[in-house]
Amino acid sequence: MKKIKLLTGFLMLFLLVGNGVFSQNVEKKGFALLELYTSEGCSSCPPADELLGKIQNEYRDKNVFVLAYHVDYWDKQGWKDIFSNADFTKRQYDYAQFMGKEPIYTPQVIINGKADYIGSQETSLRNGIKSALLKSALANLSLETSQNSNILSVLYHVESTSKNSRLLIAIVQKEAKSNVRRGENANRVLSHYQIVRQLQSVNLNKGKKGTATISLPKNYNAQGFEVIGFVQDADSGVILGVKRV
């Protein structure tokens, strides 16, 4: 009787692997996407920038990803952030609506589109990362890139459980330094990490496979940049899966 049960168990496992069920669950391991909202004009932001750079380096070989968005609402306080973008400010406001948390602030870190943290509070951030890694991804994502001059083509394939999801593709500059002359950080040289230079959204309701084209920054080079794609539920803001190219 025990032999029959054992053989039945192996048969079920074989069928699961053959149908792709087993391998699919393995691929959907936990992840943590940290989205930092920061600015060169904010005196509280440099410690958060440094902390996120530290975390990026520490978790580089794990399923932890860092994106730093430089917002523009500090630009009128005496210093214009060279990486600031009004679209990133809008994205932060969108999160405020998703989570019902206003007003927006810097430095703010949002993990997996679900919970926000003060970007300089290391213990809270690390606890948030640990919690996120325990939960399986809800989307499988594959990306392939090719470059032609200043245009990057991204071939994507998404398998998602969300009925209304979108793919976001971020062109990320790994490191940079800025000499800030005015504002709250006047006369300081600031270090930045994982700076989002371009962010393109793809509506997946029209198809889960396709090719997206993105204009690259003028100083783009393969060694100093990377591409991170992630799938987001458009109704809740929750991140369903992420992939680094």
Side-chain angles (χ1 to χ4, degrees), residues 19-21 32 38 42 48 52 54 78 83 114 124 128 156 167 194 199 201 209 227 240 244:
N19 290 327
V21 175
T38 184
C42 163
L52 270 292
K54 175 183 174 182
F83 299 113
K114 297 179 180 179
S124 296
Y156 62 87
L167 169 65
Q194 295 300 107
L199 184 67
S201 179
K209 296 181 181 179
V227 179
L240 307 174
R244 176 186 285 115

Side-chain angles (χ1 to χ4, degrees), residues 188-200:
R188 296 183 63 181
V189 176
L190 302 183
S191 297
H192 304 306
Y193 306 91
Q194 295 300 107
I195 312 152
V196 178
R197 301 296 305 276
Q198 302 277 11
L199 184 67
Q200 182 155 322

Side-chain angles (χ1 to χ4, degrees), residues 48-58 66 193-194:
D49 294 336
E50 294 286 352
L51 175 57
L52 270 292
K54 175 183 174 182
I55 288 174
Q56 167 68 22
N57 185 61
E58 182 179 335
V66 173
Y193 306 91
Q194 295 300 107

Side-chain angles (χ1 to χ4, degrees), residues 10 27 30 34 60 131 147 155 161 175 194 234:
F10 278 122
E27 290 173 2
L34 281 67
R60 174 162 291 280
S131 177
Q147 183 181 352
L155 179 66
T161 60
E175 294 184 29
Q194 295 300 107

Side-chain angles (χ1 to χ4, degrees), residues 8 20 36 45 68 74 80 83 88 108 115 121 143-144 162 166 172 185 199 204 225-226 229 245:
T8 302
L36 168 66
C45 287
W74 280 95
K80 187 181 187 307
F83 299 113
F88 302 157
Q108 181 185 35
Q121 293 186 351
L143 300 172
E144 293 182 17
S162 172
R166 57 181 176 171
V172 182
N185 290 310
L199 184 67
L204 295 175
F225 285 73
E226 65 181 4
V245 180

Side-chain angles (χ1 to χ4, degrees), residues 17-32:
V17 173
N19 290 327
V21 175
F22 182 77
S23 62
Q24 194 176 62
N25 287 338
V26 172
E27 290 173 2
K28 290 185 177 181
K29 61 183 179 180
F31 68 91

